[in-house]
Amino acid sequence: MSVNLSKGQAISLEKQDGATLTAVRMGLGWQAAKRRGLFGSRTREIDLDASAVLFAEKQPVDVVFFRHLVSDDGSVRHTGDNLVGGVGQGGDDEAILVDLQRVPVHIDQIVFTVNSFTGQTFQEVQNAFCRLVDETNGQELARYTLDGGGDYTAQIMAKVHRAGSGWTMTALGTPANGRTFQDLMPAILPHL
């Protein structure tokens, strides 16, 4: 059963049977919003990018994004860049896979971000979501919906962080501005 997360809400990433979650997929989906124009409605392609920044004691140590598809240790993998969105018709347009068992012990947080590489604001995006899926069985665990759009070009979506021997996910939903994850670092740091 999936949980619809609200901003700041945290959920444990333990399976219902008490077992530890071993592999998750952070999926991102979106569509360009239709705009009314002089000659009817139209859409403009929007290139949203999902990134995962790996932290050790509040210091960034690695990143997975469209130009670096696999973390240096191999535990986090981006499935590839989608330049237009909406391809999945409600499914994931971009995804980042995390093998939680292989994440090195010094990595204590992974922050997931979304940014508009082409610079359009989220007012031009519709049906955008970020979701966490148990990769071993395809079950959706949690979903955070980007509703309402806004005059910003990025969002710090969620973080997965160590909690004892397991992991917890927290929906952040913090608006920011920037075309790449590097631009978002000052906005990420307060959430660590």
Side-chain angles (χ1 to χ4, degrees):
M1 179 171 178
S2 181
V3 175
N4 283 319
L5 292 173
S6 57
K7 185 175 179 175
Q9 183 179 0
I11 62 163
S12 171
L13 297 184
E14 244 182 38
K15 291 186 175 189
Q16 289 179 350
D17 63 5
T20 303
L21 202 59
T22 58
V24 295
R25 172 173 22 109
M26 181 63 72
L28 167 67
W30 76 93
Q31 294 174 329
K34 291 190 184 300
R35 292 282 180 230
R36 303 252 343 132
L38 186 58
F39 301 106
S41 63
R42 61 181 175 78
T43 58
R44 182 173 152 201
E45 291 181 350
I46 296 177
D47 179 12
L48 294 185
D49 290 318
S51 301
V53 185
L54 289 71
F55 289 89
E57 297 183 15
K58 300 186 180 186
Q59 297 299 313
V61 294
D62 201 355
V63 66
V64 174
F65 70 117
F66 68 92
R67 289 190 179 141
H68 185 245
L69 295 175
V70 180
S71 63
D72 294 339
D73 59 56
S75 65
V76 182
R77 185 171 51 89
H78 195 299
T79 60
D81 195 13
N82 180 321
L83 302 176
V84 297
V87 175
Q89 300 302 318
D92 299 337
D93 293 310
E94 289 193 13
I96 297 175
L97 307 170
V98 181
D99 183 341
L100 295 169
Q101 294 180 313
R102 289 185 56 203
V103 174
V105 297
H106 71 284
I107 303 295
D108 53 15
Q109 298 184 69
I110 302 171
V111 177
F112 297 93
T113 66
V114 177
N115 54 276
S116 172
F117 187 74
T118 45
Q120 293 102 328
T121 69
F122 279 84
Q123 291 171 332
E124 298 178 62
V125 177
Q126 68 181 14
N127 301 325
F129 64 87
C130 175
R131 69 188 189 128
L132 193 71
V133 176
D134 180 342
E135 194 61 13
T136 62
N137 62 17
Q139 179 185 4
E140 182 174 293
L141 303 170
R143 176 178 289 255
Y144 181 74
T145 304
L146 248 156
D147 52 2
D151 192 24
Y152 48 88
T153 59
Q155 188 153 116
I156 297 130
M157 293 297 290
K159 72 177 179 177
V160 175
H161 48 100
R162 291 189 189 272
S165 62
W167 294 84
T168 297
M169 176 188 173
T170 302
L172 300 171
T174 303
N177 283 295
R179 293 180 55 232
T180 66
F181 77 89
Q182 293 101 325
D183 299 336
L184 304 179
M185 290 307 288
I188 291 172
L189 295 177
H191 297 287
L192 300 178

